[in-house]
Amino acid sequence: MTLKTGMSVMEGAVKSGVPGIDADCGGACACATCHVYIEDGWLEKTGARTAMETSMLDFAENVQANSRLSCQIKITDDLDGLVVRMPESQH
């Protein structure tokens, strides 16, 4: 599947059948089941966490400095080659 600019990383993962991205809230930033870790060198390009995202990450397990909710990362040309890792569990 070709990911389109403006789509979220979460949407791309779900549409591509990536296991482990549960996305229970459908991308509304109302859960933490699309938690990912951003690889070094990509954090700045993915943008800063919003207050809502930070609040939702309080419900995630094993949150790290590079944790993000994939529903909050919009695909742009600058993210070509982005690497994210998933925690062992979203629950």
Side-chain angles (χ1 to χ4, degrees):
M1 167 179 205
T2 301
L3 304 181
K4 296 179 181 165
T5 299
M7 178 185 280
S8 72
V9 171
M10 182 272 309
E11 289 174 300
V14 169
K15 289 180 183 206
S16 297
V18 174
I21 300 289
D22 296 340
D24 289 342
C25 74
C29 196
C31 72
T33 61
C34 68
H35 175 211
V36 295
Y37 302 119
I38 306 299
E39 288 291 301
D40 290 338
W42 291 99
L43 270 176
E44 195 171 303
K45 290 182 180 183
T46 61
R49 290 183 197 160
T50 64
M52 176 70 87
E53 182 178 2
T54 299
S55 178
M56 287 296 103
L57 281 167
D58 286 343
F59 298 99
E61 295 180 21
N62 302 312
V63 173
Q64 301 174 6
N66 63 337
S67 289
R68 291 292 309 271
L69 297 180
S70 60
C71 68
Q72 298 303 296
I73 303 168
K74 297 294 181 195
I75 295 170
T76 66
D77 291 341
D78 289 341
L79 295 183
D80 187 27
L82 174 68
V83 176
V84 301
R85 306 276 181 226
M86 294 180 293
E88 271 190 44
S89 173
Q90 296 287 4
H91 303 283

